Amino acid sequence: MQDRSTMTLGGYLYSVFWKFVVGYIWYRSLLFRPLAGLERKASLHILLWLTAAAVLALSLGFRRRKNGWISSACVFLPFGLYTVLAYAKTFRTRILLILVPTAVLAMGLTAVMFWGRRLSRRRFRARVSRWKYLMVCTAVSASVCLIGSVGWHAFLEGELFPAAVKAQASAVDEAQAQTIASNISEVLKLQPEVWQDLTTAQRIDTMQTICNIEVYYLGLPCAVTVSGANLPENTLGSYDDSSRAISISIEHLENDPVEEVLDTLLHEIYHCYEHRLAEVYTSADPELQRLRLFRDAADYAGEVAQPVDPEEDYSAYAAQAMETDSRAYAAAGVQEYYDRIAAYMAQN
């Protein structure tokens, strides 16, 4: 069979190597998440083994077609497959909208190339070679679409799974106030029997609605966004004051009880309140800073100025006033929401 390679073996392997390094760094920083039931390290090993298997299979199967497309396939195919395995529950509809048409296209191409044709052995082998190449091209295209559909928000906006509900600042007009009563239909979704039937997107939207309620209740002058994210192990949520954004672990959203997810949201939104108090304290006249009103704010301002890294000293981090007060607020808040739900259900 004619050798149609456009690369030498060394050039081909170098192409595979640099594409994998670039792809791995990008994928790990934006999209990588552990597979269900596995730790991060074990999941990384699976991704590496998938890549090694793809390189071996494609290099042997297309040893006479060593080109840029096949070297790209060695990276995109395993990453695309891993994306399906990792995000099947989170982005089920998106994935099906890509995989089903891809399967139909592959079957159509197969039928066009082989249906009803009687070929000599030599021509049949050539046709099979072209068919394999077309199937790889189709699979690579699907992988690119899969990775792009899952990661485009993370790449462009830094948020993997933003809420569809608009984040709102505390309203001055009481008619526009975001309260539990005015959002009771969303608040009722916090019931475990309702929550378990919600999609990941619906759960994030519910958390954004609760966040808007808390923004109004706490009197925050800024809107705070909520999104789902792939956070480090043992991190359920995080708050970034520079962007006024709360990130909640997708694993946490999908697998933990709703009460714990609500606790995480309330914990993080209270950090925004603490930052606002710290700002007021630092901008106040030194004589006014001694007022009892500012005692908590003084602690917050000190901790904002000299933050403790939880990876270096978790005990000291957890003992900070900002953390202990956020935990207390979240625990009381969870109880308040379920008391309000129970009262509403008893009346209706």
Side-chain angles (χ1 to χ4, degrees):
M1 186 178 294
Q2 182 181 358
D3 193 328
R4 299 186 179 183
S5 298
T6 60
M7 293 180 171
T8 63
L9 178 60
Y12 169 77
L13 293 176
Y14 175 75
S15 178
V16 171
F17 175 76
W18 76 258
K19 287 175 182 177
F20 170 75
V21 170
V22 172
Y24 179 78
I25 293 173
W26 181 86
Y27 192 88
R28 183 170 180 175
S29 63
L30 290 180
L31 292 182
F32 181 80
R33 66 183 294 193
L35 298 177
L38 296 179
E39 294 183 353
R40 188 178 183 86
K41 186 176 181 180
S43 297
L44 276 172
H45 287 165
I46 289 176
L47 177 58
L48 294 175
W49 277 111
L50 286 174
T51 303
V55 172
L56 181 61
L58 291 170
S59 298
L60 292 176
F62 295 93
R63 57 186 179 277
R64 293 186 174 88
R65 275 188 187 264
K66 296 185 292 293
N67 56 38
W69 190 253
I70 295 301
S71 68
S72 297
C74 292
V75 177
F76 281 113
L77 288 181
F79 280 51
L81 177 57
Y82 188 91
T83 300
V84 172
L85 296 175
Y87 290 95
K89 182 177 180 180
T90 308
F91 295 108
R92 182 173 180 271
T93 301
R94 292 187 200 181
I95 290 173
L96 287 176
L97 285 174
I98 294 171
L99 291 184
V100 172
T102 300
V104 172
L105 175 61
M107 290 187 289
L109 290 172
T110 302
V112 169
M113 296 187 72
F114 295 105
W115 188 268
R117 296 176 181 269
R118 302 182 67 179
L119 304 170
S120 64
R121 178 174 295 182
R122 181 173 174 274
R123 294 189 66 186
F124 180 77
R125 290 178 61 189
R127 186 64 59 87
V128 168
S129 178
R130 288 196 295 273
W131 173 81
K132 289 194 301 181
Y133 191 70
L134 277 176
M135 291 301 102
V136 170
C137 292
T138 303
V140 169
S141 299
S143 295
V144 171
C145 291
L146 282 166
I147 295 170
S149 68
V150 170
W152 71 277
H153 256 296
F155 181 71
L156 295 177
E157 302 177 19
E159 297 178 338
L160 178 61
F161 208 144
V165 175
K166 182 180 179 181
Q168 298 186 26
S170 185
V172 176
D173 184 356
E174 290 297 319
Q176 300 177 1
Q178 298 295 308
T179 64
I180 292 178
S182 64
N183 290 281
I184 192 62
S185 61
E186 281 295 312
V187 173
L188 291 177
K189 293 178 181 178
L190 296 175
Q191 298 174 98
E193 63 274 18
V194 178
W195 180 264
Q196 67 182 2
D197 295 327
L198 299 181
T199 64
T200 305
Q202 290 171 328
R203 293 179 180 187
I204 293 174
D205 288 347
T206 297
M207 287 297 106
Q208 180 66 71
T209 300
I210 301 301
C211 182
N212 292 344
I213 293 171
E214 290 299 310
V215 165
Y216 171 74
Y217 175 73
L218 293 169
L220 299 176
C222 54
V224 179
T225 61
V226 177
S227 65
N230 292 324
L231 300 180
E233 281 187 287
N234 302 318
T235 300
L236 303 180
S238 65
Y239 171 69
D240 179 12
D241 195 59
S242 63
S243 59
R244 308 289 197 270
I246 292 172
S247 298
I248 300 178
S249 166
I250 294 179
E251 290 291 321
H252 184 41
L253 274 165
E254 292 180 343
N255 301 310
D256 292 336
V258 59
E259 297 89 347
E260 295 182 12
V261 178
L262 176 60
D263 184 277
T264 298
L265 185 281
L266 297 177
H267 180 108
E268 301 304 334
I269 190 60
Y270 199 72
H271 282 324
C272 181
Y273 176 70
E274 292 168 332
H275 276 269
R276 303 291 74 75
L277 290 183
E279 286 179 352
V280 172
Y281 173 80
T282 55
S283 62
D285 186 282
E287 292 182 357
L288 296 178
Q289 288 180 343
R290 293 197 294 271
L291 290 172
R292 186 179 185 282
L293 171 70
F294 285 125
R295 285 182 185 172
D296 288 342
D299 291 335
Y300 301 156
E303 292 170 0
V304 169
Q306 295 182 317
V308 177
D309 188 341
E311 294 186 3
E312 293 182 0
D313 190 343
Y314 184 79
S315 296
Y317 170 80
Q320 294 178 108
M322 293 182 74
E323 290 301 317
T324 56
D325 290 355
S326 289
R327 288 196 296 272
Y329 179 82
V334 170
Q335 186 63 51
E336 171 69 15
Y337 274 93
Y338 283 101
D339 286 346
R340 294 289 295 273
I341 290 172
Y344 177 86
M345 297 301 292
Q347 297 172 4
N348 294 274

